[in-house]
């Protein structure tokens, strides 16, 4: 073939290759959201040179700071009850084999046992805050089968379910365990035992056993996990009474605050720190409404968080027409949920003292109740010191009564 024919052949192949490259570039840029493509082809020294320039139609990413999650978004991640199905791993089957090597053909049985199945363990972790990461079904790892030459199968690794402190484990409505300590473990489902290889059945009566058993199926259970907030004191009140603002004023917690009811959609726990390094945990329980014990409003799903509180702080709204009636309704709802719950050590907090009509209502409130009333303003911080000191008195009384802090 002549030189010119060779050159034409190479030029034709070059054009085909160029078109293929163009199609690929266009497809890639189009998949990325639009493009402005310019292809320039020129012949330099007998070789075609291709250059491309493209401008992707994408948004310019700035150094935007990570925004704090809103209360509604946080609620999606806060889960206080789960129903889980546990399937522990099954044991591996035993092996049936006989040893054989040169000059030792009848070496006898050498089948190893199978490995045990992996168990499922529930573990309390103080760094876990809700049950959102708990999935509906857990399957343990199966044990491996045994092998020849007396090789045992590997055991299945245990599966851990990490839950927050204060998680109650129930089965068919009956409480099994209350997980209150960091690192506490509960063996929820046992892994199945591994099968036996034929070496296990070797005896003087049977020198060549052929028997090998399969592994045992792992335990299967259905459990209910319920998270109940663990705090020394619980702020109990009707919606928009100022519980979240009060928690912000006396602790390091930062719950959402807004001028509408049901701002708080899940419990928040803050810590009050004292000079002697003692710490008291205070929980902001979402607003209770009349009929909460009948599961109205947020209902029973949050009434159960009050069960774990050692003493109660009733927050009354002085902007209401008759704030003293709020106390009666709150105690009624608590007692209907659990008899005697409202009789725990308590304090009555009259909030929103910064309002003009608050002083007059405070005097009427004191005349209608026999307990001590602590007037505060969560907005301005007025008299919060008295509340913090009284909170410490309740805490010290709780410790003297045999509680552990």
């Amino acid at each position: 073939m002549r030189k010119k024919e060779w050159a034409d052949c190479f030029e034709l192949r070059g054009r085909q290759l160029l078109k293929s490259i163009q199609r690929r570039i266009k497809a890639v840029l189009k998949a990325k959201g639009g493009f402005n493509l310019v292809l320039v082809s020129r012949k330099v020294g007998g070789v075609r040179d291709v250059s491309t320039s493209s401008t992707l139609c994408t948004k310019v990413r700035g150094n935007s700071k990570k925004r704090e999650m809103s209360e509604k978004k946080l609620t999606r991640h806060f889960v206080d009850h789960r129903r889980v199905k546990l399937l522990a791993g099954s044991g591996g089957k035993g092996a049936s084999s006989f040893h054989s090597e040169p000059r030792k053909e009848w070496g006898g049985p050498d089948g190893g046992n199978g490995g045990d199945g992996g168990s499922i363990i529930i573990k309390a972790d103080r760094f876990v805050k809700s049950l959102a990461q708990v999935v509906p079904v857990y399957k343990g790892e199966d044990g491996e089968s045994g092998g020849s030459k007396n090789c045992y199968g590997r055991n299945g690794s245990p599966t851990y379910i990490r839950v927050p402190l204060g998680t109650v484990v129930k089965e068919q409505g009956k409480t099994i365990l209350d997980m209150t300590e960091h690192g506490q473990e509960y063996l929820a489902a046992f892994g199945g035992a591994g099968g036996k290889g034929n070496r296990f059945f070797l005896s003087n009566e049977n020198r060549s056993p052929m028997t090998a058993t399969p592994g045992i199926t792992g335990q299967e259970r259905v459990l209910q996990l319920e998270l109940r907030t663990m705090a020394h004191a619980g702020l109990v009140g009707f919606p928009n009474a100022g519980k979240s603002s009060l928690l912000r004023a006396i602790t390091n917690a930062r719950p959402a605050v807004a001028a509408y009811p049901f701002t708080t959609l899940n419990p928040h726990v803050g810590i009050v720190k004292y000079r002697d390094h003692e710490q008291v945990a205070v929980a902001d329980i979402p607003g209770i409404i009349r009929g909460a014990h009948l599961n109205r409003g947020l209902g029973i799903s949050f009434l159960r968080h009050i069960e774990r509180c050692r003493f109660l702080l009733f927050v009354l709204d002085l902007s209401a027409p008759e704030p003293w009636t709020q106390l009666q309704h709150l105690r009624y709802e608590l007692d209907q949920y659990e008899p005697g719950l409202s009789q725990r050590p308590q304090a009555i907090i009259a909030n929103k003292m910064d309002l003009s009509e608050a002083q007059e209502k405070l005097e009427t409130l004191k005349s209608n109740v026999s307990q001590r009333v602590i007037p505060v303003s969560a907005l301005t911080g007025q008299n919060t010191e008295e509340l913090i000191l009284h909170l410490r008195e309740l805490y010290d009384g709780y410790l003297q009564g045999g509680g552990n802090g």
Side-chain angles (χ1 to χ4, degrees):
M1 189 178 289
R2 298 177 183 179
K3 292 184 179 180
K4 187 177 180 182
E5 293 177 353
W6 277 104
D8 293 341
C9 182
F10 277 117
E11 187 175 355
L12 179 62
R13 287 294 184 93
R15 288 200 204 99
Q16 294 174 349
L17 181 62
L18 178 62
K19 290 181 180 179
S20 176
I21 293 173
Q22 289 177 350
R23 286 195 297 269
R24 288 176 179 272
I25 293 175
K26 288 180 180 180
V28 171
L29 295 177
K30 189 174 182 181
K32 290 187 176 181
F35 60 90
N36 181 15
L37 178 66
V38 179
L39 286 174
V40 180
S41 174
R42 60 183 183 275
K43 198 170 184 179
V44 180
V47 180
R48 288 188 179 273
D49 183 23
V50 180
S51 66
T52 64
S53 64
S54 62
T55 304
L56 297 181
C57 300
T58 57
K59 294 182 180 179
V60 178
R61 293 184 178 181
N63 295 328
S64 58
K65 294 183 179 179
K66 188 176 180 180
R67 296 181 179 178
E68 293 184 2
M69 296 182 68
S70 66
E71 181 73 13
K72 290 186 177 180
K73 288 184 178 180
L74 281 171
T75 305
R76 299 173 193 168
H77 300 277
F78 182 87
V79 179
D80 63 351
H81 62 277
R82 282 287 197 203
R83 179 182 179 273
V84 293
K85 183 177 182 180
L86 309 179
L87 301 170
S90 300
K93 62 182 180 180
S96 178
S97 66
F98 290 87
H99 185 72
S100 178
E101 60 178 314
R103 295 182 297 278
K104 196 177 181 181
E105 296 181 5
W106 309 102
D110 66 349
N113 298 339
D116 296 335
S119 301
I120 300 178
I121 301 172
I122 300 175
K123 185 173 183 178
D125 189 341
R126 68 170 177 266
F127 300 107
V128 179
K129 301 303 179 184
S130 80
L131 299 173
Q133 303 300 323
V134 178
V135 297
V137 179
Y138 283 89
K139 176 71 173 69
E141 184 179 355
D142 294 336
E144 292 185 354
S145 301
S148 59
K149 299 182 181 179
N150 295 318
C151 290
Y152 282 36
R154 185 175 65 86
N155 295 335
S157 300
T159 301
Y160 285 91
I161 305 174
R162 300 190 180 275
V163 298
L165 299 183
T167 300
V168 178
V169 182
K170 293 184 175 182
E171 186 173 21
Q172 297 181 352
K174 187 179 296 184
T175 300
I176 300 173
L177 183 67
D178 189 356
M179 311 196 72
T180 58
E181 298 180 5
H182 176 68
Q184 183 179 357
E185 295 184 357
Y186 171 62
L187 187 54
F190 292 92
K196 303 300 182 182
N198 64 337
R199 172 73 180 183
F200 177 81
F201 299 98
L202 177 64
S203 64
N204 290 330
E205 292 76 19
N206 187 2
R207 305 303 298 173
S208 57
M210 303 287 292
T211 305
T213 60
I216 299 176
T217 305
Q219 187 180 10
E220 180 177 342
R221 296 179 75 181
V222 177
L223 300 177
Q224 294 82 37
L225 304 179
E226 290 186 4
L227 172 60
R228 299 179 181 178
T229 303
M230 293 186 65
H232 299 109
L235 296 172
V236 184
F238 285 106
N240 216 26
K243 301 184 298 300
S244 298
S245 299
L246 189 60
L247 188 69
R248 293 172 69 100
I250 65 175
T251 72
N252 57 354
R254 291 294 175 266
V257 175
Y260 53 82
F262 296 109
T263 311
T264 302
L265 298 176
N266 63 69
H268 292 275
V269 179
I271 303 296
V272 181
K273 299 180 180 179
Y274 294 90
R275 291 183 180 179
D276 59 352
H277 304 291
E278 193 65 80
Q279 297 181 353
V280 178
V282 182
D284 172 20
I285 308 299
I288 298 173
I289 65 171
R290 298 185 65 178
H293 68 281
L294 301 174
N295 212 18
R296 294 175 184 169
L298 298 176
I300 294 174
S301 62
F302 289 113
L303 273 173
R304 64 167 169 259
H305 289 276
I306 304 177
E307 288 184 71
R308 310 301 288 268
C309 299
R310 305 309 178 206
F311 37 92
L312 308 176
L313 303 177
F314 289 100
V315 183
L316 306 183
D317 185 2
L318 291 183
S319 65
E322 296 181 348
W324 48 90
T325 61
Q326 293 184 357
L327 183 62
Q328 301 173 3
H329 296 317
L330 289 172
R331 286 176 173 169
Y332 174 78
E333 293 298 331
L334 296 184
D335 287 335
Q336 289 298 310
Y337 174 72
E338 181 183 323
L341 183 58
S342 69
Q343 303 304 316
R344 292 185 180 181
Q346 59 191 256
I348 300 174
I349 304 171
N351 193 22
K352 303 185 181 179
M353 282 299 297
D354 53 291
L355 301 177
S356 57
E357 69 276 10
Q359 189 61 43
E360 181 181 349
K361 292 182 179 179
L362 176 63
E363 298 301 327
T364 310
L365 174 63
K366 288 182 177 179
S367 63
N368 281 273
V369 297
S370 57
Q371 294 93 340
R372 176 183 175 184
V373 178
I374 303 175
V376 300
S377 173
L379 182 64
T380 64
Q382 175 187 346
N383 208 32
T384 53
E385 296 84 359
E386 182 183 354
L387 172 59
I388 292 174
L389 291 175
H390 186 64
L391 187 62
R392 181 58 187 272
E393 293 175 6
L394 291 172
Y395 177 73
D396 291 340
Y398 159 65
L399 292 182
Q400 292 173 5
N404 45 33

